[in-house]
Amino acid sequence: MKKRVLAVVLALTLAVGIFGAMTASAADTIKIGYVNPSTGALAGNGEGAQWVIDQITKYVNEDLGGIEVDGAVKPIEVVLYDSESDSAKCSEMAQKLIEENNVDIMIAIQTPETVIPVAATAERYGVPCVSIQAPVNPVAANVAGGVECEYVFHAFWTIENVYECHKALWTAAGYGPGEGYKVGITFATDADGTAWHDIFVEKLPEDGYVVVDPGQYPSGSNDFTSLANTFKAEEIDILAGTNIPPDFLNVYKACLAAGVQVGCITMGKCCLLPGDVSVLENDTQGLAQGIMTEVWWTPNYPFSSATTGISSADLGAAYSADNDGRDMPQPAGYAYASLEIAIDALTRAASTDPDAIRDALAATDLDTIVGPIKYDKELMGLHYGDTVIAGGQWQLQEDGTEKLVVIDNTVYDVISVEGEYVPGNATNK
Amino acid sequence: MGDNKTLASAHKPIKVLDGIPMLIICIIIIAALYILGITGVFSSNLMRYLMNIFLYITMGEMWNLLSGFTGMTSLGNQTFIGLAGFSVAVMTSTYSMSIWVGILVALVIAVVVALLLSFVLFRMRGMYFAIATWVVAEAICTWFLSWKYVNQGGGMSVRAKPYPRIPEIYLMALTLCVIAMVVVYVLLRTKTGLGLTAMRDDADASSSVGVNIFKSKLLVYVIAAAFTALAGAVFFVNKQTIYPSSGFDISWTVSMVFIVIIGGIGTVSGPVVGAIIYVLLSEILAKLPGWSNIILGAIAILVIIFLPDGIMGTLQKKLHFELFSQKRFSEPKKNLRAKAQMQA
C-alpha cells in the first residue's frame, strides 16, 4: 500500500511538474531571462531581485501597457531561476532560459561567479545580454578573453577605479600615499580576489605603500592564523581586500586574536549589506565598527531612472515600505538598473530580433537609477561602461544602528559626501 | 494460504530479457535517438534534456559499477569530472587546441590519476575507501584553487570557434552513454564480472577461490574513472565555464548516488531510470528557488524507506524479470519447481 502511495506521489510530482514546465510561460510576451543567487552563499547579493522584477514588470505592463515590438504591443515577462550560488548551475539555468523559455534578452548579474557563466552562455547562443554588477576585469578576461563579444554589454566599475577609491579612504583615515605605510592584503583565490590582488599588488608600490601579502587563500578557509601572524610581525597599518562575509569574519577574528593593530580597514564585498555588517559586529563584540568599503549605490545617490522616472530616494523608500523598513541593498539598485537597460533596448529596437536588440544595446546612452550607462569602452574584447563609485564608512548612529555613510567622492565627484571619516573600534592603532 | 502464495511468487521463474530480440529493440531505440537528433526532429531543448540524461546515465552506471557491482563505494568520482573539465578548458583556452584534443587529454589524465590513486586507495575498504576518495577530491580541489596555471579559483572557459551546438554535444553524449552501457554490460557478463560481484559479496572468500582482487578493482576503477571523466568533459563543453568549486563539487557524487538509489543499485537498467527522473525533477524544480534540493532529498529518503531496491530493482523482483542481467539465461521452470518442493 505504502509503495503504491509512493509511486502515485512520484508519478504525480513528475506529471504536474512536466505540465507546469510546459505551460508556465505565456506565449505572447517579451521574455527577459534572469539568473539570481536566491539561495546559497551569495543569497545576500540576490536579495531584493524579485521585488525589483515585480516593480519593473508592473510599471511596463500596467502603466505603459507593454512595449511595441514586431508591430504589436506586448507585455514583458521576467523569468527568474535560482543559481543556488553555484556557477555550474548558472550555465544550466542560462541555457534553460534560452532553450526552453526562449528569452529575448538575458540579464547577467551578481558577482563574477554568476555573471561570467550566464554572459558566456548568452554570447555563445547569440542572445543579447545586459551584464552588470561584477568588476569589469574578471568578466573581460573570462567572457571575452581577447575575442570581441558581440552580444554581451557590461557595466560596472574597474578594479583600477576601486583601488583609487580605497586609496582615497586610506587617505581620509590619515594613511595617504608616499609615506611608506604597510598595507596587509587579504584576497581569496576566486575570480574577484585574483583580479583585485593583481591590480593592488601592482599599484600599491607605485603609490609608495609597502605590500604585506601573505598569499591568497581558497574562499571558505577557516584557519587564518598564519596570515594574522604575518600581519602582526610586519606591523601593518592598513588592512585591505575583498572577501565574502564568512571569509572576512574569519580573517578579522584571527587578526584580533593575534593582536594585530591597524589604522584603517577597507574591505570590498563583505560590507555591502547592513545584515552582513551586523553579523560582523556581533561576532567581534563591536570591533568592526568604522570599517570602510566602496559604495556602488545608495538611495541617497543623485540619480533618477529615465525609464520609470523614479528617483533613487523614492525607490529606496518604496523598498523599505514593502520590506519591513529594511534599506534597499546596493545590488538591488543594480538589479533595477539592469532591467531599465533591457527595457530601453527593447523599446528602441522595437523588435525581438536578437541582432536588432544587440544593436540597440550597443547604442545605449541611458540615465539609470545607478547613474548614466554608456558602453563606450572596451577591455579584452568586452564592451563596457563605467559606473560610479564612492568611498563609504559604516558609522554608528544615535539610535544604535550602523549606517553606511559616503565620506569620499574622489573618483566620482557627482556623488555628494554625507559625512567625514570617524575613527571607530576597527581602527585601534 | 498467504504463505503458499508468497512461496509460489518467490519461486516464479525469473525471465532474463536479453538475446536477439532485446538486442534488436536496443539497436532500434539507439538508431532512433541518432536519427531523430541528426535530422532535427528533436528540438534543441529536447536534445538538451536528453543530453543531460545520457551524461547522468554514464556517470550513474560508473558509480553503480563501482559501488553496486564491486562494493567499492566512492564519494570522490567528482575528482575525474573536475580534472576532465579543466583539461578541456586548459587545452582549448591556454593552448588553443580543439575540443577533441581536450577530451582526449581528459581521458589520459583520468586514467593516469586513477592508476596512481589506486596504489593508495586500494589499501582501504568500505567506508575508509569512501572517505579516502572524498578526501582526494577535496585535496585536488584545494590545490586547483591555488594553482595559477588553472587561474586559481577564478575559473576558466572552454573556447572554440565555432562552438559546438546542442545537437553536436547531444551526439557526443549519446555515443558516450551507449559505449558506457555496452562496456558495463559486457564486463559484467565476463568471468571478470562474475569475480567482481563475488568480490562485492565477500572479498576474502572470492580471493580464496581465485579472484585477483587488486587486478579486478584496478580494472573497474580505471574504467569508471575514464567514463566519468569523458562524461565530465562533455558536461563542461556544454557548460562552457569551470571553477574548482564547480568541477570538484561533491554534488556530482550526490547526483550519482541519487540516480543509482532511485533507479536501483546493482542493476544495469537502474541508472537509466534514475537519470531520467533526476534530470526531469531538476529541471522542473528550477522554478522553486530553495526547494529543489529539499524535494530531491525527500524523494531519495522516501525511496530508500519504501523501495530499498530502487524502482527497477523492485519492478524486477515483483514482475520476475531482469533487464541487462548478469545472468546468461532465464532460470528453467523445472529447477524452480524442484527448489520450491525441497523448501516446502
Side-chain angles (χ1 to χ4, degrees), chain A residues 130-424:
Chain A
V130 177
S131 175
I132 202 164
Q133 205 208 297
V136 175
N137 315 54
V139 177
N142 281 278
V143 179
V147 180
E148 186 182 3
C149 280
E150 287 184 52
Y151 293 89
V152 177
F153 294 88
H154 188 73
F156 209 50
W157 35 259
T158 58
I159 309 287
E160 287 81 356
N161 275 358
V162 86
Y163 169 80
E164 292 301 326
C165 178
H166 280 228
K167 189 173 76 178
L169 288 170
W170 304 332
T171 306
Y175 294 89
E179 302 290 333
Y181 291 120
K182 291 183 176 177
V183 183
I185 53 174
T186 63
F187 294 112
T189 54
D190 56 15
D192 249 350
T194 302
W196 283 54
H197 174 270
D198 295 349
I199 299 289
F200 271 55
V201 166
E202 180 194 325
K203 295 260 180 192
L204 280 165
E206 289 174 9
D207 286 325
Y209 290 101
V210 176
V211 183
V212 179
D213 183 7
Q216 289 171 260
Y217 40 82
S219 182
S221 301
N222 293 315
D223 186 3
F224 290 98
T225 313
S226 165
L227 174 144
N229 287 340
T230 304
F231 288 165
K232 170 83 174 165
E234 294 287 342
E235 296 182 342
I236 61 169
D237 301 297
I238 300 161
L239 182 61
T242 188
N243 284 282
I244 58 170
D247 280 353
F248 179 64
L249 183 60
N250 288 331
V251 165
Y252 194 50
K253 281 163 86 171
C255 287
L256 290 174
V260 177
Q261 292 187 318
V262 292
C264 68
I265 303 174
T266 55
M267 201 56 57
K269 212 170 183 175
C270 62
C271 310
L272 299 173
L273 311 169
D276 293 335
V277 175
S278 157
V279 170
L280 194 58
E281 280 283 284
N282 292 339
D283 280 31
T284 58
Q285 286 80 44
L287 292 177
Q289 191 196 101
I291 210 160
M292 296 186 285
T293 187
E294 72 277 359
V295 185
W296 327 335
W297 177 82
T298 75
N300 297 333
Y301 269 27
F303 304 121
S304 294
S305 163
T307 309
T308 63
I310 198 168
S311 68
S312 294
D314 290 344
L315 186 67
Y319 182 90
S320 297
D322 290 348
N323 292 277
D324 304 324
R326 290 204 302 277
D327 289 339
M328 187 163 173
Q330 300 190 46
Y334 272 84
Y336 196 90
S338 71
L339 290 170
E340 284 181 76
I341 297 166
I343 300 300
D344 173 65
L346 286 164
T347 307
R348 284 186 290 107
S351 165
T352 50
D353 175 58
D355 289 352
I357 300 172
R358 175 201 59 194
D359 293 343
L361 263 181
T364 296
D365 187 359
L366 182 71
D367 286 331
T368 72
I369 207 77
V370 298
I373 300 284
K374 193 174 183 181
Y375 302 114
D376 55 355
K377 295 184 175 175
E378 190 182 322
L379 181 66
M380 298 172 81
L382 177 74
H383 299 284
Y384 77 95
D386 279 317
T387 58
V388 300
I389 190 169
Q393 184 184 29
W394 286 94
Q395 295 179 353
L396 188 64
Q397 305 298 295
E398 285 180 358
D399 61 1
T401 59
E402 295 271 352
K403 189 184 172 207
L404 184 58
V405 177
V406 174
I407 62 166
D408 181 85
N409 62 356
T410 305
V411 184
Y412 284 96
D413 58 11
V414 67
I415 307 298
S416 302
V417 171
E418 299 166 347
E420 290 188 345
Y421 170 79
V422 177

Side-chain angles (χ1 to χ4, degrees), chain A residues 2-3 17 39 81-82 84 87 91-92 95-96 99-100 116-117 120 124-125 141-142 144 189 191 194 216 218, chain B residues 44-45 48-49 145 152-155 157 159 163 166 238-241 243 283-284 286-287 289-290 292-293 302 306:
Chain A
K2 285 175 183 171
K3 287 176 185 175
T39 58
Y81 286 132
D82 179 17
E84 296 172 8
S87 51
S91 308
E92 284 175 28
Q95 212 170 21
K96 186 177 172 73
E99 293 273 7
E100 191 164 295
I116 291 169
R124 170 181 154 199
Y125 275 91
N142 281 278
T189 54
T194 302
Q216 289 171 260
Chain B
S44 184
N45 192 39
R48 185 178 64 84
Y49 272 75
L145 279 167
Q152 301 178 315
S157 298
R159 294 192 188 281
Y163 205 87
I166 288 290
N238 184 44
K239 288 180 189 297
Q240 209 178 341
T241 48
Y243 297 82
E283 292 280 343
I284 292 160
K287 289 186 184 299
S292 56
N293 287 334
L302 285 173
F306 298 118

Side-chain angles (χ1 to χ4, degrees), chain B residues 143-167:
Chain B
W143 173 37
F144 270 60
L145 279 167
S146 307
W147 195 17
K148 281 196 182 288
Y149 180 67
V150 294
N151 197 25
Q152 301 178 315
M156 297 188 78
S157 298
V158 177
R159 294 192 188 281
K161 279 272 179 185
Y163 205 87
R165 294 173 308 118
I166 288 290

